[in-house]
Amino acid sequence: MNSLQGHDPQNPGGQGSPLDVWRLLISKQDALFEELTDQNLKYQKRMRDLEDELSGWKRAVRDCEKTEFGLQAEIDKLREENGRLKLGNPLVVCLIDGDGVIFSEDLIGQGREGGREAATKLSQEIRNFINSGQASTGNPPPNLFQLYVVIYFNATGLSKILSNNNICSEGQLTEFMEGFNQANPLFTMVDVGRGKEAADAKLKESLRLFIKLPQTRHVIFGGAHDSGYLHELRSFQTDGLLEKLIVLKGNYEVAYEVKQFVLEKGIPLLGINDILLQRRPTNSQSRSYLTAAAREGPNLLSPPLSPVAVVPRPRAASRAGSIASSALDEGTSRPSKPPGLRTVLNVNPSKPIEKQDPKLCSNFYLAGNCINGDYCGYSHEYELTDAQLNQYAKVVKTRFACPHLIKGNPCYVGDDDCIFAHNCPYGRACTYFKKDQCFFTAQMHK
């Protein structure tokens, strides 16, 4: 009965008949089959594309694994070579600022023989120290490391200083240098010539080079008297290289800032006092020596921190004119601007003499000579009265710390003749020193 419901006997094939319903269903089924077939074909194509892509990635992974294996083998080889360099033939490098670390009078006085003896004793001191286990890291086996020693110094300046202090003649220093260089193929005294901080610059670059080499076991630094090297020492801490460092104690006290750093970081300190000069050169140099010092610049023993050289303060009553004339008479070189182009400046009475703008050049006005001439960063153009000159001399003598002493070097001009102060005017009571803010070093607070 249900199958015939809605059937019109007069129109058996008409719309709404069971046959039409079946036809409609078959049509929809065919359409669905076609759609599914198309989607299947698309999915199959997509699957083949993905399989191809996966195959490509697999090949890439295999290639990377091969490359990684090759790189790892290369790394292992380099590590093995590095280990052989460190353990098989370690290097100990000794770099010395020869303007501040000076061999003994007895050794230098022997000329070539003294140079060879100095090289031998220096080698023994270093080897005994390293083999004794006093270095901060594992030590190479006794006597199984190469020792390389370089001393940078200004031969002309140092020979004049030693000659004028009756320590040795200029010829003896030259012969000493020859003997030292001939004593060992890896021992060298290098004359860096004249120029501001010439020895410092070479020593700093050598420090940076050798301390980073993997075969370098230790670097012995012979410039602790000069706080100007502190920046390099701190950079080694940043790079994790302090364990390679040994500090050599020279003729004079370690600079205050360097000493604090060495103690704080526990850096080993090597003393070789037995072969170094035990006395400071005297201050009784002739005027001709001081003139030579002015000509050669500040790097006679170690360069000052200021851009001017330290020379003695003349004692003439009227210094404004006599200083310049005496300097020129003695052959010193002080470039000057043509008279027509020279700018004359007047002292500003509302400002202290030491705080003029631009600031006065201490060497030009108080020593009668400035090696920088027209290139000086301070002014040579003020016209000072005798009263102003005396006032400025008093200020500099009491408030401006001697650049040589600041760096831990001796001042060969002497306390009386140096235009700068050798002691803090406030002494032990200096509040700035207690806050670590005073320009004067600890040794200058008496």
Side-chain angles (χ1 to χ4, degrees):
M1 294 292 292
N2 291 336
S3 63
L4 299 177
Q5 186 176 4
H7 176 65
D8 185 358
Q10 301 297 326
N11 187 16
Q15 187 176 4
S17 66
L19 183 58
D20 291 337
V21 172
W22 281 110
R23 287 175 178 170
L24 179 61
L25 291 175
I26 291 172
S27 174
K28 290 184 177 180
Q29 178 179 279
D30 290 341
L32 179 61
F33 285 163
E34 290 179 2
E35 181 180 355
L36 291 174
T37 301
D38 291 341
Q39 289 181 354
N40 185 49
L41 292 174
K42 291 179 181 178
Y43 290 144
Q44 287 180 352
K45 184 178 183 301
R46 176 60 177 159
M47 185 176 66
R48 287 193 297 271
D49 292 342
L50 290 175
E51 287 176 346
D52 292 341
E53 185 176 350
L54 177 61
S55 178
W57 282 111
K58 287 181 178 179
R59 286 193 299 271
V61 169
R62 286 194 295 271
D63 292 341
C64 288
E65 288 176 346
K66 291 180 180 178
T67 303
E68 180 185 5
F69 179 79
L71 291 175
Q72 186 60 48
E74 187 175 349
I75 290 173
D76 293 340
K77 182 179 178 181
L78 290 173
R79 284 176 175 170
E80 183 180 353
E81 292 177 356
N82 189 29
R84 284 199 300 267
L85 286 173
K86 287 183 176 180
L87 300 176
N89 192 26
L91 180 65
V92 174
V93 181
C94 180
L95 303 171
I96 297 176
D97 182 348
D99 288 339
V101 178
I102 308 172
F103 285 100
S104 70
E105 181 177 356
D106 177 60
L107 290 173
I108 298 177
Q110 296 180 48
R112 288 187 182 86
E113 190 61 34
R116 286 190 283 268
E117 184 178 351
T120 300
K121 289 186 175 180
L122 178 61
S123 176
Q124 290 174 348
E125 293 278 3
I126 293 174
R127 290 185 181 278
N128 290 339
F129 181 83
I130 297 235
N131 294 328
S132 68
Q134 298 181 59
S136 58
T137 59
N139 301 301
N143 299 319
L144 294 182
F145 61 86
Q146 284 187 306
L147 178 60
Y148 178 59
V149 178
V150 184
I151 302 175
Y152 299 106
F153 74 114
N154 173 6
T156 303
L158 184 59
S159 64
K160 288 184 181 294
I161 289 176
L162 299 180
S163 175
N164 282 288
N165 285 274
N166 297 320
I167 293 175
C168 70
S169 67
E170 296 184 21
Q172 285 175 322
L173 181 62
T174 301
E175 292 179 356
F176 175 87
M177 175 179 173
E178 293 175 356
F180 186 91
N181 291 341
Q182 294 169 0
N184 189 310
L186 297 180
F187 282 42
T188 308
M189 291 184 70
V190 179
D191 178 11
V192 299
R194 305 172 184 177
K196 183 179 180 182
E197 301 186 358
D200 297 32
K202 288 188 177 293
L203 181 53
K204 288 177 182 178
E205 289 303 319
S206 297
L207 276 172
R208 296 188 192 106
L209 171 64
F210 283 106
I211 202 167
K212 294 179 180 179
L213 295 179
Q215 63 265 44
T216 301
R217 181 63 60 90
H218 294 293
V219 172
I220 301 173
F221 165 59
H225 59 280
D226 187 345
S227 60
Y229 294 109
L230 186 60
H231 175 74
E232 275 64 35
L233 302 185
R234 286 175 173 163
S235 70
F236 299 152
Q237 177 189 5
T238 304
D239 296 336
L241 299 171
L242 275 187
E243 62 179 11
K244 292 186 175 184
L245 191 65
I246 298 172
V247 172
L248 177 69
K249 188 177 183 299
N251 306 73
Y252 310 108
E253 290 189 30
V254 176
Y256 177 75
E257 296 85 352
V258 175
K259 184 177 181 180
Q260 293 295 107
F261 183 80
V262 168
L263 293 176
E264 178 185 346
K265 304 303 176 184
I267 300 173
L269 192 63
L270 167 61
I272 54 172
N273 295 333
D274 292 343
I275 60 175
L276 297 181
L277 192 65
Q278 295 299 307
R279 67 180 181 90
R280 294 194 180 207
T282 63
N283 297 319
S284 57
Q285 297 98 341
S286 66
R287 179 65 180 172
S288 60
Y289 157 67
L290 298 171
T291 304
R295 284 200 303 271
E296 292 177 9
N299 194 33
L300 286 176
L301 218 130
S302 185
L305 295 176
S306 67
V308 294
V310 179
V311 291
R313 173 163 48 94
R315 302 174 181 272
S318 177
R319 293 182 291 183
S322 62
I323 294 176
S325 61
S326 64
L328 293 175
D329 289 342
E330 294 179 9
T332 57
S333 175
R334 178 172 62 83
S336 60
K337 297 179 181 178
L341 299 179
R342 184 172 182 269
T343 301
V344 177
L345 300 177
N346 294 319
V347 173
N348 185 348
S350 64
K351 292 184 177 181
I353 189 67
E354 72 276 12
K355 294 184 179 181
Q356 297 294 309
D357 186 16
K359 293 183 178 180
L360 284 71
C361 173
S362 302
N363 269 8
F364 180 81
Y365 287 101
L366 302 181
N369 172 66
C370 174
I371 63 171
N372 298 311
D374 288 341
Y375 299 100
C376 181
Y378 299 85
S379 178
H380 299 178
E381 315 302 337
Y382 288 98
E383 292 288 353
L384 301 182
T385 64
D386 285 350
Q388 291 170 334
L389 198 59
N390 288 327
Q391 180 187 6
Y392 183 58
K394 182 178 180 181
V395 170
V396 172
K397 184 62 178 176
T398 56
R399 300 183 189 176
F400 291 12
C402 175
H404 283 294
L405 297 183
I406 286 178
K407 298 186 71 178
N409 296 323
C411 176
Y412 292 104
V413 175
D415 190 10
D416 292 335
D417 288 331
C418 183
I419 64 174
F420 298 105
H422 283 200
N423 295 293
C424 176
Y426 301 104
R428 295 286 184 183
C430 178
T431 56
Y432 294 101
F433 175 68
K434 295 176 181 178
K435 298 177 182 179
D436 198 24
Q437 296 176 349
C438 186
F439 289 109
F440 291 82
T441 64
Q443 292 77 15
M444 301 171 77
H445 286 81
K446 297 179 180 178

